[in-house]
Amino acid sequence: MNPVLVEVWRGEVLESFHRGVICVVDREGNVVYEAGDIRQLCYPRSALKFFQQIPLILSGAADAFGFTEEELAVMCGSHNGEEAHQRAVRSILSKIGLSTEHLLCGSQYPSDRKTSNALIAAQEKPGPIHNNCSGKHAGFLALCVFRGQSPEDYINPNHPVQKEIRQVVADFHDMREEDMAVALDGCSAPIYAIPVYRQALAYMRLVNPDFGDDALRSACTRLVDAARKHPFMIAGSGRYCTDLIAHCESEVIGKTGAEGIYSLAFHREIYGACIKIDDGKMLPQYNVAQKLIARSGLFGEDTLNALKRYEEAPIRNFRKFETGQIKVADDILANSWR
């Protein structure tokens, strides 16, 4: 059984808890910190997005269409559906001669409450442009158009675009394609089952200048730099991914995935990390990720204080009374892991 990573206290009683896995690897792929079964199989979900856009860069499509860094960032993001996100996705689609009707990610109310409420107030229904994965899908469509391939079924696992992506995913995670079970993600794109250790390994390789040839390293650097320079496009207002990258941009990028996944790449000192919360809750992944950041020893007090609320926070009821707290268990990441 995996250890308890995060505790939820009400008064002086432990009311609930969240078990899970943590794995951190160095540039050689050696495990420098682990908790739980790092061989555990799970889906990276949206934490896979950086790898899903690498073929777009390698193909030359990004240059051919003149995509901006903001547009590349939103392709790697799980955005809130705010106006800036919508504008970037529409710009991508305009450059490739397609429309929002070609997006097959499904309609979703914006994650941003203000944007969602504005739709409701206007008696408008959400569309695929509001889906948190619309940037990723716009990137898929761009590669389709560049390759002269059909955009009608670009989410089919056997579509040429998805086959390109699958090969890149296998290479970064050091797996054989046939060993990666495939399923459909929440946005209907293919997603692959990968052990936690190998997800940490892939994020290390994303920022490792020793991995791959010049073209592959350049593609990775381009996507990582886009995220560093435009963190709002990776998530949006009030989101951990955006706040983390904004405050720590010289050192780390982080990306959430559904069902309790969080992956990080430390790109000055080369490390990769993956967190999986067993019960799939989303908040605990941020608690653990921020404690991992705090225990890295890479950041000063100002940076850590700006992000402290993600590591542990009071729980308040509807009258704003403090009823308890949520925090990482004391024995998890108790000391520096570097």
Side-chain angles (χ1 to χ4, degrees):
M1 185 177 293
N2 287 324
V4 171
L5 300 185
V6 176
E7 301 172 338
V8 182
W9 291 80
R10 184 173 296 271
E12 297 180 355
V13 174
L14 178 62
E15 185 172 41
S16 60
F17 50 83
H18 306 275
R19 296 184 182 274
V21 184
I22 308 171
C23 181
V24 185
V25 301
D26 65 15
R27 69 187 302 155
E28 305 299 330
N30 300 312
V31 177
V32 296
Y33 182 86
E34 62 182 303
D37 182 7
I38 64 174
R39 299 166 298 176
Q40 182 169 311
L41 198 64
C42 55
Y43 294 102
R45 303 297 294 270
S46 285
L48 197 68
K49 286 178 177 176
F50 283 100
F51 308 103
Q52 289 170 305
Q53 300 305 327
I54 287 174
L56 178 80
I57 307 296
L58 292 176
S59 69
D63 290 326
F65 290 119
F67 293 138
T68 66
E69 287 186 320
E70 278 190 311
E71 290 163 354
L72 293 177
V74 83
M75 292 177 190
C76 299
S78 297
H79 65 73
N80 274 349
E82 295 172 78
E83 181 57 38
H85 303 126
Q86 295 179 48
R87 184 168 58 249
V89 176
R90 291 185 193 278
S91 177
I92 295 167
L93 294 171
S94 176
K95 288 178 178 180
I96 64 176
L98 298 180
S99 72
T100 57
E101 294 179 357
H102 290 90
L103 294 170
L104 300 180
C105 49
S107 298
Q108 175 190 12
Y109 272 104
S111 301
D112 177 65
R113 183 173 295 181
K114 290 182 179 179
T115 308
S116 183
N117 288 345
L119 275 180
I120 295 170
Q123 297 185 324
E124 295 179 7
K125 294 182 178 180
I129 190 71
H130 302 108
N131 189 300
N132 78 95
C133 294
S134 64
K136 177 181 76 174
H137 281 248
F140 292 163
L141 285 168
L143 186 54
C144 281
V145 172
F146 181 76
R147 295 286 197 208
Q149 296 160 351
S150 169
E152 301 299 323
D153 63 342
Y154 69 87
I155 56 174
N156 187 316
N158 293 317
H159 190 283
V161 160
Q162 298 302 335
K163 287 184 176 180
E164 281 192 65
I165 292 169
R166 186 183 179 98
Q167 180 62 63
V168 167
V169 170
D171 289 346
F172 271 85
H173 293 84
D174 197 21
M175 294 183 70
R176 298 186 305 171
E177 290 185 59
E178 58 267 30
D179 291 337
M180 298 191 306
V182 62
L184 292 184
D185 210 335
C187 65
S188 298
I191 191 68
Y192 307 102
I194 300 169
V196 171
Y197 164 75
R198 296 194 181 278
Q199 293 184 48
L201 181 71
Y203 263 73
M204 179 274 291
R205 289 176 166 177
L206 188 63
V207 293
N208 188 347
D210 298 329
F211 180 73
D213 58 21
D214 290 346
L216 187 61
R217 290 195 295 271
S218 177
C220 292
T221 298
R222 190 167 177 182
L223 293 172
V224 169
D225 283 351
R228 289 172 58 194
K229 294 175 184 177
H230 302 280
F232 187 81
M233 291 293 153
I234 299 298
S237 301
R239 295 277 301 282
Y240 180 62
C241 292
T242 290
D243 290 346
L244 172 71
I245 299 171
H247 287 287
C248 305
E249 61 88 18
S250 65
E251 295 286 356
V252 65
I253 57 169
K255 183 71 190 69
T256 186
E259 294 299 322
I261 286 285
Y262 205 86
S263 293
L264 304 107
F266 293 80
H267 48 81
R268 180 173 296 179
E269 299 195 17
I270 307 300
Y271 293 97
C274 181
I275 298 156
K276 166 61 178 171
I277 304 300
D278 284 346
D279 60 20
K281 298 293 185 182
M282 299 296 281
L283 178 57
Q285 62 173 289
Y286 307 129
N287 301 134
V288 177
Q290 187 51 39
K291 188 166 184 180
L292 191 150
I293 291 291
R295 293 296 186 269
S296 71
L298 293 171
F299 306 101
E301 284 190 20
D302 288 346
T303 296
L304 296 180
N305 287 338
L307 297 167
K308 180 66 176 178
R309 68 188 184 279
Y310 290 107
E311 182 181 341
E312 58 181 68
I315 297 173
R316 300 185 185 278
N317 64 16
F318 292 113
R319 293 190 62 193
K320 309 302 181 186
F321 295 151
E322 185 174 329
T323 61
Q325 68 172 166
I326 182 169
K327 70 182 191 72
V328 180
D330 292 339
D331 60 335
I332 299 298
L333 293 160
N335 302 303
S336 175
W337 48 264
R338 290 175 57 247

